[in-house]
Amino acid sequence: QAWKLGPALATGNCVVMKLAEQTPLSGLHIAQLIKEAGFPAGVVNVIPGYGPTAGGAIVRHPGIDKVAFTGSTEVGKLIQAQAAPTLKRVTLELGGKSPNIILKDADIAQAVEIAHFGLFFNMGQCCCAGSRVMVEESIYDEFVERSVERAKKRVVGDPFKGNTEQGPQIDEEQMGKILGYVGSGQSEGANLLTGGKRHGDTGYFIEPTIFSDVTDEMKICQEEIFGPVLSIQKFSTIDEAVARANKNSYGLAAAVHTRDIGKAVQVSNALRAGTVWINCYNVLGNQAPFGGYKMSGIGREGGEYGLENYTEVKTVITAIPQKNS
């Protein structure tokens, strides 16, 4: 919400903010704070509702000049199509299948922990989740073993308890979708090393899940799962890793882990992704543009690029009848 509401208001726009139907409470609280702050009526309008009705009305309305959306690539395509009749400006921050590349000279302990965080953060419900970890073959077995050990220690449970690391998925539908991907990975021949089942018998909790021996054509390697499912792959050379990482319809984010700055620059320059992290993951700042290549979206949020999305360029040419110089 902040990445859209902030720049839109800073550049002098009025806003209609439609909240995700699964998570409306935080946005409604923002509306209350906006009212308390004394914003003029009509400058910020916050509405709950469902995508096809409330969201669709916004996208199709001729009085709205621009639509900004964060969500799935599937819905992003619908928004772009429905905005076409009114030629709305559209920015889309969509899905990803982000590769996290671990070179053999990396600090393995650090890389394991960062890769763990990069995928399991927010129960894997993150557009830039590092769901596809690619490890150089000479350290592959050790990396896999350590990753499984870390996943088995992950505390799943009540998110209001201080020691909990992983709470529930957003709803029953998403839980079912994630478990369906787990079944797909097993049927296609990936090696399920840990997890893969519902955690407990109440709530929408899923065990931290890791697959090894994942090949590029598998569904769990191609599609966004949006859940706590990590695929670990093996590669032989840097060129191979980059080529395989780029051979995907998404391009939101990526990462590379190495002690060699030359290799880090080489890989980061070659990856077709909007954000590339070196020896870290999910490090974001409002001053840095964020957005994706390919099916991961259109436009950028954050920094000066994020402000430009909410402006129009105008040229005014004036004839001056008499020069004063």
Side-chain angles (χ1 to χ4, degrees), residues 29-39:
H29 182 63
I30 292 293
Q32 181 62 40
L33 295 177
I34 287 170
K35 183 178 179 180
E36 291 178 12
F39 276 67

Side-chain angles (χ1 to χ4, degrees), residues 16-32:
V16 179
M17 186 165 68
K18 186 268 177 194
L19 309 174
E21 54 264 35
Q22 300 92 342
T23 55
L25 296 182
S26 58
L28 292 172
H29 182 63
I30 292 293
Q32 181 62 40

Side-chain angles (χ1 to χ4, degrees), residues 45-323:
N45 308 273
V46 180
I47 58 171
Y50 292 101
T53 50
I58 290 172
V59 174
R60 294 188 296 268
H61 198 288
I64 293 177
D65 298 314
K66 183 193 183 301
V67 171
F69 170 75
T70 294
S72 71
T73 296
E74 178 185 10
V75 174
K77 291 178 181 179
L78 295 174
I79 288 174
Q80 190 170 25
Q82 292 179 18
T86 52
L87 288 180
K88 282 184 176 59
R89 281 37 173 178
V90 176
T91 53
L92 304 169
E93 198 265 271
L94 306 177
K97 193 67 183 177
S98 301
N100 195 351
I101 299 173
I102 318 296
L103 301 186
K104 63 184 178 182
D105 67 339
D107 181 325
I108 295 184
Q110 175 182 282
V112 166
E113 187 61 33
I114 292 173
H116 180 87
F117 170 76
L119 181 278
F120 292 109
F121 167 75
N122 200 37
M123 294 70 72
Q125 299 171 143
C126 181
C127 55
C128 55
S131 55
R132 184 183 180 191
V133 174
M134 307 178 72
V135 184
E136 198 160 358
E137 58 185 354
S138 63
I139 62 167
Y140 180 82
D141 291 341
E142 180 182 358
F143 186 93
V144 168
E145 182 180 354
R146 291 193 183 198
S147 295
V148 171
E149 288 176 2
R150 177 63 179 91
K152 287 180 177 179
K153 294 176 182 177
R154 189 169 182 82
V155 180
V156 181
D158 184 348
F160 291 100
K161 291 184 177 180
N163 67 329
T164 298
E165 293 180 281
Q166 181 175 315
Q169 308 309 131
I170 187 64
D171 57 23
E172 185 176 13
E173 179 183 0
Q174 183 61 21
M175 181 182 71
K177 180 180 177 183
I178 294 165
L179 293 175
Y181 274 110
V182 172
S184 171
Q186 291 176 292
S187 65
E188 290 187 331
N191 186 14
L192 178 61
L193 299 174
T194 187
K197 301 188 298 295
R198 182 177 183 176
H199 176 85
D201 54 8
T202 58
Y204 309 131
F205 298 88
I206 293 180
E207 296 173 343
T209 301
I210 294 181
F211 282 100
S212 67
D213 303 321
V214 177
T215 58
D216 294 351
E217 69 276 4
M218 290 180 180
K219 193 174 181 180
I220 59 172
C221 189
Q222 290 288 324
E223 299 183 13
E224 182 179 44
I225 298 175
F226 218 63
V229 180
L230 179 64
S231 297
I232 307 182
Q233 299 185 281
K234 183 189 299 183
F235 69 87
S236 299
T237 67
I238 290 177
D239 288 344
E240 176 201 341
V242 169
R244 290 171 57 195
N246 286 336
K247 192 179 179 181
N248 192 281
S249 59
Y250 295 108
L252 187 57
V256 57
H257 299 261
T258 176
R259 290 185 172 95
D260 187 325
I261 190 63
K263 292 178 181 177
V265 172
Q266 175 191 352
V267 174
S268 61
N269 284 345
L271 290 169
R272 290 186 51 76
T275 296
V276 180
W277 289 290
I278 299 174
N279 296 327
C280 59
Y281 208 94
N282 269 340
V283 178
L284 302 170
N286 289 330
Q287 71 275 27
F290 183 84
Y293 287 30
K294 300 183 282 186
M295 301 287 274
S296 289
I298 299 171
R300 295 292 184 271
E301 295 181 299
E304 188 175 350
Y305 290 93
L307 293 171
E308 290 176 357
N309 293 330
Y310 298 92
T311 65
E312 288 276 24
V313 176
K314 179 188 289 185
T315 300
V316 178
I317 300 173
T318 303
I320 300 177
Q322 180 177 338
K323 290 185 177 182

